[in-house]
Amino acid sequence: MALTVCPDCEGKVSDKAFACPACGYPMAQEKGTSPWPRVLGGVAGTYISAQALVTIIVGSVMFLAFAAIMIAAILGS
Ligand SMILES: [Zn+2]
């Protein structure tokens, strides 16, 4: 495990680290790949999953409310 120097706080950081553990500065990966697409992909995936979960919950509540109204209307008539 090689260590590199953080350009922000000049602390020692593993060259496999995504970010400096001391200051959070994003560290470039080996082979010229940026860590940000993977980080953004994870954030986007979490956001989409949360949005999908909210949509499912809201949809279920709306369906149950609609079904309850329809049942009440049928039973009341
Ligand atoms: Zn740092």
Side-chain angles (χ1 to χ4, degrees):
M1 184 176 83
L3 289 174
T4 60
V5 176
C6 173
D8 200 39
C9 70
E10 298 183 352
K12 288 178 181 172
V13 188
S14 166
D15 63 354
K16 292 182 174 59
F18 283 108
C20 172
C23 70
Y25 185 89
M27 304 298 291
Q29 292 292 286
E30 286 182 284
K31 301 168 188 170
T33 56
S34 166
W36 289 111
R38 212 182 299 177
V39 172
L40 289 173
V43 171
T46 303
Y47 180 73
I48 290 166
S49 297
Q51 283 290 100
L53 197 64
V54 169
T55 303
I56 291 165
I57 291 168
V58 171
S60 299
V61 170
M62 292 294 282
F63 176 77
L64 287 173
F66 179 76
I69 290 167
M70 291 304 289
I71 289 166
I74 292 165
L75 291 178
S77 63

